[in-house]
Amino acid sequence: MKTFIALLLLLIVTVVNAIVWNPEITVPKATSKWRAGETYTVKWKTTVLGEDIPDGVNGTIKLGYLEEGSINEHLYWDLATTFPLNSGAQTVTLPSDLETKTSYIIVVMGDSGNASPKFTIRAARPLTTQ
């Protein structure tokens, strides 16, 4: 009986450790319109498959974009790294040299990644001289 209980506990621990921490992104939304060079807050759910993301799981936020007919997410920009994934939000500053596109995505990565819907980033406003 002790062996059975020990195996059952081992199975439970293994299942909990096997959860892939890829939280659902809630901001940005498909209707979001952000501007290059400005600061925004990326938000996500702090539960995955009904389990709270535990302390000690760190995240990374990447910015990319999608192109018609390509599976590449073009994740060229690291916006934040090594923050607690169970925080549910992280402030990021967009690069100022982004061009206007309606196909940008944010990817929040724990031990896997989850992408936001496509959204718009507009190029930075030109500097005006007086």
Side-chain angles (χ1 to χ4, degrees), residues 6-8 14 20 25-27 29 31 33 40-41 50 52 55 78 103 109 111 115 121-122 127:
L7 287 174
L8 183 60
T14 302
V20 176
I25 299 168
T26 58
V27 176
K29 300 176 183 298
T31 56
K33 290 181 173 48
Y40 299 92
T41 301
D52 290 337
D55 290 339
D78 289 335
S103 60
M109 303 172 80
D111 52 5
I121 296 177
R122 297 171 295 199
L127 297 175

Side-chain angles (χ1 to χ4, degrees), residues 31-82:
T31 56
S32 297
K33 290 181 173 48
W34 292 1
R35 176 134 352 237
E38 295 187 7
T39 300
Y40 299 92
T41 301
V42 176
K43 297 180 181 180
W44 58 90
K45 293 184 177 181
T46 58
T47 58
V48 175
L49 300 173
E51 294 289 328
D52 290 337
I53 298 172
D55 290 339
V57 178
N58 289 327
T60 298
I61 297 176
K62 294 182 141 319
L63 174 69
Y65 60 89
L66 301 175
E67 288 182 315
E68 191 71 34
S70 173
I71 60 169
N72 190 337
E73 293 180 324
H74 305 285
L75 299 173
Y76 300 134
W77 302 276
D78 289 335
L79 300 182
T81 59
T82 327

